[in-house]
Structure formats: structure tokens, C-alpha cells
Amino acid sequence: MCGIVGAVASRDITPVLLDGLRRLEYRGYDSAGLAVVNQDDEIDARRAVGRVAALEEIVNGVNGHLGIAHTRWATHGRPAEHNAHPQLSSTDVAVVHNGIIENHQELREQQLAAGYTFTSETDTEVIVHQIDSHMKAGADLLSAVQKTVDELKGAYGLGVISRHAPNTLVAARRGSPLLIGLGEAENFVASDMSALIPVARKYMVLEDGDIACVKQDSVQIFDQNHKPIERKVLVSTLSDAETELEGYAHFMKKEIHEQTRAITETLEGRLGANTVLEIPLGKNAKEIFDATKEIKIVACGTSYNAACVARYWFEEFGVRCDVEIASEYRYRKHVVNPGTLFVTISQSGETLDTMAALDMAKGLGYTNTLCVCNAPESSLVRASDLTIFTHAGREIGVASTKAFTTQLVTLMLLALCLRRRALGLDYDGDEVEHEIVQELRSLPNQIEHALSLEDEIIAMSKHFADKHHSLFLGRGMHFPIAVEGALKLKEISYIHAEAYAAGELKHGPLALVDKDMPVVAVAPNDELLEKLKSNLEEVRARGGQLFVFADAHSGIVSDNDTMVLNVAPVNNHIAPIIYTIPLQLLSYHVALIKGTDIDKPRNLAKSVTVE
Ligand code: M6R
């Protein structure tokens, strides 16, 4: 999704801007651009469709001490050079913008009447003209931005420069993350601290409504009432180590294989001999768990799928649990029972729909808010009463892999803590908890075993590469695992993949089954295995091709119509985590054969910061 970098320094900042854009590439984008104020106090801007590499080819000779840069993920106006940012108002002002301006049409009409001409279809262009009009009426850059944001409806993170203020970078934020990086006699602006890893460790997070006036040796911040305000200086812990491919062809493959280590880190320090420890989950964790009678989970995409698996655990453990997609949750009325914990799940901690749902939930009477998150320096973490970190390490591939399995592990820890309260157990838990804790400890080994199936999965993937549609089946807590498997396949191989609870097959989707529709099934050895086998017979009877990830003792065997991949027996509670791995590998290898852009699939973004 869109990314912003800005810099003001005594050195030439073009290389800093380009490096920052490269570091934001993982968020997903379709065009890129930058603008600097050069030594003649003129704005020099370049924009290119496609990768940052395309921009690099056209920035020769672009030098300056002040500049802004952007990666754009199209919302208003197709990906095209004229729609890329920075957007300019004549040669005077340049703006980069993340977010969506809702009243852009109204402003556009006023500006057309005032004689402005438009060169793009973006909602952003009205911002730059509005700032320009205030400057033409006598305002300095900072006041012009202050006046402009008061006239905007919608969400924005902004970086603004003007040739009339050659030492000043103005940044503004409402609903779209933005932070100020503090260097040595140079300062920066970015939508994500990872853009600034080589140039700044210290940073300040802008809050909604803040506007910052950033110069080489000073940063002044003003709140939504335009009153000066101090924001805390934080120290970033991000490093470059996780942004290297380390010999892997793709980040997705690397991240799939990192799951052994990632899950070890999720569990690190959180397990006693037989139980889940609560203190390492957060200093207010016990108090929040004590106050919790039921939970509501809200999330998007893969994180939502993790919530759907966890619901089975919570309810089996006696804790009422409701799960909802964030973009739906935020647009309906709610009845909140006393003692309900509002839980968000997000890899990035920046997903706008999830963040907006949390903002809304805060006024609805939930007892507390908890976030399951992978990004320590993110908006959701800052806004939640308690965060349980997944410790997956940075995930670069757009398709979530290790983020998902570590979310599942974290949710199991939470479920076991709430189980004690629901069942009135003491801190030593009970046999069920003891058994699950031992299973959690064995997860890294079991994941290694699942990863060792890769060669067989490569053979299986060849059957999918020429297909246009596929069905994924599962039952019980493996239905959301089938949904996640289908999401992975469609996301990176562009094959249409639909997931069904296997019992639903006969209520409609069976009509689709023929030899051209591969049917993938997840078949652990649980209480629903026999039911699932009957569902698979329904597929076989209609000439369907089955690809089954089955427990080695399931009794499901390969034949002409069925390809079975045996998964080592695993405890039912943690089986969803293990069965995820072969599905991830399957989608990876299908995409590899199809030659798609695996780490940056078309039309998608890593961090979805627009509605
Ligand atoms: O950062 P989040 O976990 O909040 O992101 C939510 C979804 O955008 C994300 O899981 C998306 O569905 C993934 N690309 C799926 O692989």
C-alpha cells in the first residue's frame, strides 16, 4: 500500500529517498515518485509507473537538501505516471499523500472555478491546489497546510514541500500512519519506520490531527487545534537482518521455512513446565484476563482466518467467542455484553479497517482491548490496552505465512489462559492444558517434518498449474484452514480457489466438480474424519480429482483419482497449525510454476492502510 518518505538534511537526500522507497516496496504499490527542492529553489519531480527501479532510471541529476517521495497503490485513478505522487500545483508546491479524501469532488469544483487546472484523476491533487491557494493568499507553508487539513474530509498522511520554503518539510496525519525520524542534524518523515532504518533510530509518532514542521535541526509538532505539542521520542528496534533473502528465491519461501524458528520465538519464555505463564504476556495481562467473560475478535484476511480457527479453541474451553471481519464490523450496530474483551489480530498492526474497528469499539462498552500483533511499533499496539506479540519476525512476502501460524500459537496461549477462568482452574491448569503445552513444545519438530514434505508437494503442484478453478475442503477447525489455503492459492497463483466446509458440498458446490476442478482436502485424524471421508466419496463419485493432506493413519489412500500426502499424526488441538504448512507450500510451488510475482502479487499490498 502507499508509502511516504521525506527528508531535510545538509546532504543530497535523493539517495535517502530512493533507499526509503525500496524499503517500503514490500507494502505493495504500482508507481513511485519523488520531488526535491533543488539548489535553484525549484521543485524537481520525477514519477514512474512500476517498480522503484524504474524511478531510479530517471532521477539522474535530481539533487536537493529537501524532498518527498512516494510509492502509490491506486485508489482514485489508474496506475499511470500522471496519477503517481508527488502531485504538484504548478511548480510551487508538491504533495505526497496516503489515504483517501472523501470531499475531493467538492474541492475540485471550487478549485476549477478559481482557475486551477487538473492533470490527474487523483483525490490528492485537490490537496496540493488547496495548499497553493492558501499560500497565494499570503499563508506560509505550515499555516497553508493547517488551513487545508481543516477543509479535508477523509484520511491522510501527507508530506508537503514548497519552493517558497526551501528548508521546511511539513507532515500531517489523520487516519493514516506517519512518523518523524530524528537524525543527526537531519530529520525525516515516513509512513513506516522500516523506511528509515539506516538514517534514524529515534522517532516520534504523529497522532491523529498532528501537523509537524520539520527542518534540519528542529521539529515542531502542532495538535489538531494547531497548538504546539510534545510527542514522545521512541527508539526503533528494527534492523536490516530480516530484509535479506539469504539464498532463498522468494521471501515467501524463506518465511515458510522460518516457521520452525518463528514459533520457537512465539513460545519463548511463555511456557512453564506444564502451563502457560501469564506474566510474560504483559504486565496487565492477569488483570485483563480476570475481567474477561467472553471475547469478540475482529480482523481481516489471513488474520481473520486465524481468529476463525481460534474460535473453536475458545468455545471448546468454555469461553464464548464471536469473530467478525473488520470492514463489516465497523458499519453495523452492536450489543456488547459486560465482560467482553475486544481482540484485534493483525500482522502489520496498521490495517485501516481493523484500526477503525478498534476505534469504534472503544466507545461501545467493551471491558478491555487486546491486540495480537507482529509489529511492535504499530498503530494497533499503541491503541490497545494489551498486546500479545506473535514474534514472527518481519514478514516481507505479501502472502502471510509465518505471521498466520504464530498468530495461531499466540491465540492458543490466550485460549488456555481464559480457559482457567472459565473452568475455575488454578494456575497449574489441568491435564488438558498440560497436554497442549507439551504439544506446543513439540511444534517446531512437527513443523520441520511438515516442511520435509516439500518434494511430494512439488509433484502435486504440477497438477494445478494449468487449472483455472479449485475447491478447498475441511471440517471443524480445519474449515478455516481450508479457507486460508484457498486464500494463499488465489493470492499468488491467481487461480480461483474457493473453500467450503466439506458438509456444505452437497448444498451447491458439488455441481462444479469435474476433472478440471482439483479438490483439495484437509483430513486430520479427528472426530470428523469419517464424515469427511463420506464427503470425499461424493467428489470421487462425480469424477473429481482429489488432493488430500491426510493423517498417516487416516486410511485415505492414493489411487487414480486421489493423490494423498501423508502428514505425521498430530494432536488435534495443534493440528491446524501443522496442516497449514503443506497448503502454504502447495500455493508457493503452483505460483512458481506459473511464474507469477510471488512476493508482490498483482493488485495487492502488504499493509492495507486504505479502506
Ligand atoms: O496486517 P494484517 O494482518 O492486519 O493484514 C490483514 C490482511 O490484509 C492480510 O492478512 C492479507 O489477507 C494477506 N495478504 C493474506 O496473505
Side-chain angles (χ1 to χ4, degrees):
M1 199 114 303
C2 305
I4 289 177
V5 195
V8 51
S10 55
R11 57 176 161 154
D12 172 25
I13 44 75
T14 302
V16 175
L17 298 177
L18 285 170
D19 183 67
L21 291 186
R22 277 192 295 268
R23 290 167 184 279
L24 294 180
E25 283 191 296
Y26 78 96
R27 294 164 67 109
Y29 66 103
D30 42 53
S31 50
L34 63 76
V36 302
V37 175
N38 67 18
Q39 58 184 9
D40 303 323
D41 288 349
E42 285 169 351
I43 292 181
D44 197 352
R46 306 290 155 93
R47 302 179 297 202
V49 175
R51 296 277 180 248
V52 173
L55 178 66
E56 280 175 72
E57 284 174 17
I58 55 167
V59 294
N60 261 345
V62 178
N63 304 311
H65 304 296
L66 168 70
I68 49 178
H70 193 257
T71 47
R72 175 175 187 255
W73 188 80
T75 56
H76 291 65
R78 69 195 159 84
E81 194 265 331
H82 66 278
N83 286 331
H85 300 199
Q87 287 288 315
L88 274 74
S89 193
S90 67
T91 54
D92 287 347
V93 186
V95 161
V96 288
H97 167 222
N98 287 356
I100 292 176
I101 301 305
E102 287 163 8
N103 59 335
H104 69 100
Q105 199 53 43
E106 184 189 321
L107 290 169
R108 186 180 265 251
E109 277 156 26
Q110 290 166 11
Q111 292 169 357
L112 282 168
Y116 281 97
T117 52
F118 283 78
T119 58
S120 78
E121 294 109 53
T122 65
D123 52 337
T124 303
E125 199 172 352
V126 299
I127 305 175
V128 70
H129 290 327
Q130 202 69 4
I131 295 169
D132 182 70
S133 70
H134 289 304
M135 290 188 82
K136 292 225 158 66
D140 62 13
L141 179 61
L142 174 64
S143 342
V145 175
Q146 286 175 327
K147 286 176 196 290
T148 297
V149 296
D150 287 346
E151 294 156 338
L152 300 178
K153 293 197 182 112
Y156 55 81
L158 296 177
V160 189
I161 57 172
S162 163
R163 72 185 178 94
H164 302 299
N167 302 311
T168 307
L169 168 55
V170 175
R173 171 215 163 139
R174 181 176 300 283
S176 193
L178 207 58
L179 46 87
I180 311 294
L182 306 170
E184 295 295 324
E186 52 186 21
N187 290 310
F188 308 92
V189 168
S191 49
D192 178 332
M193 198 52 201
S194 61
L196 304 181
I197 288 175
V199 289
R201 302 308 293 164
K202 291 189 189 158
Y203 68 104
M204 293 185 286
V205 177
L206 294 185
E207 294 193 4
D208 264 351
D210 282 357
I211 299 180
C213 182
V214 184
K215 301 190 177 196
Q216 256 181 53
D217 45 13
S218 69
V219 176
Q220 282 178 289
I221 303 180
F222 303 87
D223 68 11
Q224 57 187 341
N225 301 314
H226 308 324
K227 299 268 178 293
I229 188 140
E230 299 285 320
R231 296 290 176 215
K232 220 159 98 189
V233 175
L234 306 167
V235 179
S236 173
T237 54
L238 296 178
S239 81
D240 270 342
E242 284 160 333
T243 57
E244 305 293 331
L245 275 167
E246 292 172 347
Y248 286 95
H250 297 96
F251 282 106
M252 183 182 179
K253 174 123 187 229
K254 179 183 171 213
E255 287 155 7
I256 290 173
H257 281 266
E258 275 174 351
Q259 288 176 104
T260 316
R261 185 187 53 74
I263 286 177
T264 306
E265 292 194 6
T266 310
L267 293 171
E268 180 73 35
R270 290 169 168 179
L271 298 181
N274 286 310
T275 55
V276 175
L277 304 175
E278 295 189 356
I279 291 170
L281 299 182
K283 61 178 188 305
N284 53 348
K286 178 181 178 309
E287 184 196 325
I288 288 177
F289 298 163
D290 283 348
T292 300
K293 301 277 172 280
E294 59 184 77
I295 66 172
K296 169 87 187 182
I297 314 182
V298 168
C300 305
T302 285
S303 297
Y304 170 79
N305 292 340
C308 291
V309 174
R311 176 171 44 195
Y312 287 87
W313 295 332
F314 285 113
E315 298 229 328
E316 181 188 331
F317 295 168
V319 183
R320 211 184 96 68
C321 173
D322 187 28
V323 176
E324 192 164 348
I325 292 167
S327 54
E328 289 298 316
Y329 175 85
R330 49 187 295 215
Y331 292 112
R332 70 175 186 87
K333 301 274 182 273
H334 301 275
V335 177
V336 179
N337 288 333
T340 305
L341 175 66
F342 187 82
V343 178
T344 54
I345 307 176
S346 174
Q347 185 284 128
S348 62
E350 300 292 355
T351 300
L352 187 133
D353 282 321
T354 311
M355 189 64 213
L358 172 59
D359 277 348
M360 178 179 156
K362 283 185 168 177
L364 294 179
Y366 287 97
T367 309
N368 286 297
T369 60
L370 183 155
C371 175
V372 171
C373 191
N374 191 37
E377 289 154 29
S378 62
S379 305
L380 271 170
V381 170
R382 287 192 291 273
S384 302
D385 297 323
L386 169 66
T387 299
I388 309 184
F389 289 104
T390 52
H391 296 313
R394 181 114 177 261
E395 192 179 68
I396 308 263
V398 164
S400 246
T401 52
K402 62 178 181 172
F404 178 68
T405 48
T406 54
Q407 283 168 350
L408 290 179
V409 172
T410 308
L411 288 163
M412 177 54 98
L413 299 179
L414 175 63
L416 288 170
C417 292
L418 297 183
R419 179 175 193 274
R420 292 178 193 149
R421 273 96 180 156
L423 303 184
L425 306 169
D426 62 23
Y427 277 90
D428 285 337
D430 64 353
E431 273 180 25
V432 172
E433 178 168 352
H434 299 176
E435 187 191 332
I436 294 174
V437 165
Q438 297 319 325
E439 292 297 328
L440 288 172
R441 281 190 208 291
S442 73
L443 264 177
N445 281 341
Q446 303 202 47
I447 287 177
E448 274 302 299
H449 183 268
L451 289 169
S452 74
L453 302 172
E454 189 159 6
D455 285 345
E456 288 173 68
I457 294 168
I458 290 171
M460 191 183 267
S461 63
K462 295 179 181 138
H463 297 270
F464 288 72
D466 63 339
K467 299 292 188 293
H468 300 289
H469 306 278
S470 59
L471 268 181
F472 282 66
L473 303 177
R475 294 198 72 135
M477 63 180 89
H478 289 86
F479 166 47
I481 294 299
V483 175
E484 174 61 11
L487 176 62
K488 287 293 90 94
L489 188 71
K490 75 180 82 149
E491 195 174 16
I492 59 167
S493 74
Y494 316 149
I495 293 174
H496 171 220
E498 260 194 274
Y500 269 90
E504 267 296 287
L505 204 55
K506 56 189 172 295
H507 298 292
L510 205 50
L512 295 170
V513 169
D514 64 15
K515 63 176 178 22
D516 292 323
M517 168 80 93
V519 180
V520 178
V522 185
N525 197 358
D526 60 15
E527 69 285 358
L528 291 167
L529 178 62
E530 292 311 315
K531 303 270 178 220
L532 180 74
K533 283 181 177 173
S534 308
N535 302 138
L536 300 187
E537 285 309 317
E538 293 162 8
V539 174
R540 284 156 63 88
R542 273 109 192 142
Q545 295 289 309
L546 279 167
F547 298 87
V548 190
F549 296 95
D551 182 281
H553 299 151
S554 67
I556 306 174
V557 290
S558 294
D559 62 21
N560 284 347
D561 306 318
T562 308
M563 191 166 183
V564 176
L565 193 138
N566 282 321
V567 178
V570 54
N571 171 289
N572 284 344
H573 285 108
I574 62 160
I577 301 166
I578 299 301
Y579 278 82
T580 299
I581 312 285
L583 292 174
Q584 293 171 344
L585 286 169
L586 178 67
S587 53
Y588 174 79
H589 284 289
V590 174
L592 195 63
I593 297 171
K594 294 197 72 178
T596 59
D597 192 349
I598 292 181
D599 285 335
K600 298 188 190 81
R602 69 185 182 200
N603 307 338
L604 298 181
K606 181 68 185 162
S607 184
V608 184
T609 50
V610 294
E611 192 169 349

